[in-house]
Amino acid sequence: EMRLRAVLQGGKRLQEVLRALERTAKMVTVLMCPAEISLVANPNSVDSLQVWASLPASGADGDGVFKTYRIESLNSNKIGFEADIAQFQRALKTAEHSEVATIKLSNKNGRPFMTFEIIVKTGDLLMTSIQDVPVRLLSVDEHNSTNEPDIGDPTVKLVVPDLRPLSNVTDRLKHLDSKINLKANMAGELEFGAATDFAFMTNYWKELQSPAVQGVPAVARDPSQKAEVVVDCGMLARIFQCHHLRPSLTVCCIVERGLQKLLVWHVIIFQNETITYYCPVLD
């Protein structure tokens, strides 16, 4: 038995996060628990860009997705479902200028839906609109086995410049090659490069910092520690498009486990709102 009923207050932020995920996948996996909501694109994928966004569930002071929030289930009050991002976005867009927007988990003709009950004021009248977003509920096993990657200790971790210039750099490099060579070290240096048989282009940043960041394992400041990966230019471009979220901090991590490597971008949107991209590297 599952019960979910909540009053939206952070619908706009939810839309912005879904817009970032939509660049990577058509479906979103939503994992809800009493404290937070995770929105995931391509969960448990090894070859695709995996994206995990985490938002606080509720808060009367406006720092949560919901103003009021009630969630109950036999799985420790956790509920998970898959939904089409475009349909989810349309319902949230309708609720954007409402007086009150309530969402609840419903069952109609044996099919589960996330039902939006939206009250809109038109002149002196209050009108109610109902929008049903079809969902596929996750089983207890599916929910509990959908976990964010454990990256361990990164080889390199650097706070990077604003994402918009990085996006512009990627746009220039993609005209040379579909792959980008990314080098970084704990001396605070970061380099993007692309090459053909006839040309080479590189962008270089220095004196980047590596402070302690919640959610990212610490790395000892050893200037000789360095790492290098080759990544798909299109994947990087999709990551950097999240600059529309106006993040307060972005951290680039290169993780090396023996012969395996992974590029991780940890984006802190605001306080306890984060979005993390797990980018596979090319051989």
Side-chain angles (χ1 to χ4, degrees):
E1 187 68 25
M2 299 180 185
R3 291 189 179 90
L4 172 67
R5 187 177 182 89
V7 175
L8 270 173
Q9 69 175 357
K12 184 69 173 177
R13 175 60 88 198
L14 206 52
Q15 282 189 69
E16 291 177 336
V17 171
L18 285 169
R19 179 178 155 200
L21 267 64
E22 196 172 24
R23 300 181 189 278
T24 303
K26 293 182 178 180
M27 303 293 291
V28 61
T29 298
V30 182
L31 306 176
M32 307 179 77
C33 70
E36 68 177 16
I37 298 170
S38 295
L39 298 103
V40 190
N42 303 319
N44 303 322
S45 174
V46 176
D47 300 322
S48 302
L49 185 62
Q50 190 176 156
V51 191
W52 283 74
S54 177
L55 305 172
S58 64
D61 55 358
D63 65 349
V65 174
F66 304 119
K67 187 173 184 179
T68 62
Y69 179 50
R70 179 188 174 191
I71 182 171
E72 297 177 6
S73 80
L74 297 177
N75 185 27
S76 303
N77 294 329
K78 297 185 293 185
I79 294 175
F81 61 87
E82 289 181 350
D84 180 273
I85 293 179
Q87 292 183 346
F88 208 162
Q89 286 274 53
R90 280 194 292 271
L92 287 168
K93 186 72 175 176
T94 304
E96 194 173 320
H97 303 293
S98 62
E99 295 290 307
V100 180
T102 303
I103 70 167
K104 60 182 180 180
L105 189 61
S106 62
N107 191 297
K108 300 182 179 182
N109 298 319
R111 294 183 60 196
F113 292 90
M114 192 60 66
T115 296
F116 287 70
E117 186 178 285
I118 302 161
I119 300 176
V120 180
K121 190 171 185 180
T122 306
D124 295 329
L125 299 175
L126 291 177
M127 301 182 63
T128 301
S129 169
I130 303 292
Q131 288 206 26
D132 290 323
V133 177
V135 299
R136 186 186 74 82
L137 294 175
L138 301 186
S139 68
V140 172
D141 287 343
E142 280 183 296
H143 191 135
N144 294 339
S145 64
T146 304
N147 299 308
E148 188 165 2
D150 179 8
I151 65 170
D153 296 331
T155 305
V156 174
K157 181 190 77 173
L158 295 174
V159 174
V160 299
D162 182 69
L163 290 178
R164 191 181 291 271
L166 290 178
S167 180
N168 294 337
V169 167
T170 306
D171 283 342
R172 290 198 298 271
L173 293 177
K174 73 181 181 183
H175 293 296
L176 278 181
D177 195 359
S178 62
K179 298 178 289 188
I180 287 181
N181 188 272
L182 191 153
K183 300 178 182 179
N185 60 50
M186 290 303 291
E189 298 170 324
L190 175 67
E191 181 181 306
F192 283 15
T196 68
D197 292 336
F198 309 103
F200 177 77
M201 183 185 296
T202 185
N203 285 80
Y204 174 78
W205 297 266
K206 63 180 182 178
E207 298 180 356
L208 301 179
Q209 300 301 308
S210 180
V213 177
Q214 184 177 359
V216 180
V219 178
R221 189 81 184 194
D222 179 357
S224 67
Q225 199 158 304
K226 59 185 179 180
E228 179 177 353
V229 291
V230 178
V231 294
D232 179 80
C233 191
M235 285 192 183
L236 270 189
R238 289 195 289 275
I239 293 171
F240 297 153
Q241 283 300 311
C242 79
H243 65 71
H244 74 271
L245 292 168
R246 303 172 298 280
S248 59
L249 191 70
T250 303
V251 182
C252 171
C253 299
I254 300 178
V255 182
E256 295 179 315
R257 294 175 178 170
L259 297 177
Q260 291 185 324
K261 295 183 180 182
L262 182 67
L263 179 64
V264 180
W265 292 86
H266 183 73
V267 181
I268 298 175
I269 307 169
F270 175 73
Q271 294 180 350
N272 51 353
E273 300 178 356
T274 63
I275 183 167
T276 306
Y277 293 84
Y278 297 91
C279 182
V281 303
L282 304 173
D283 295 332

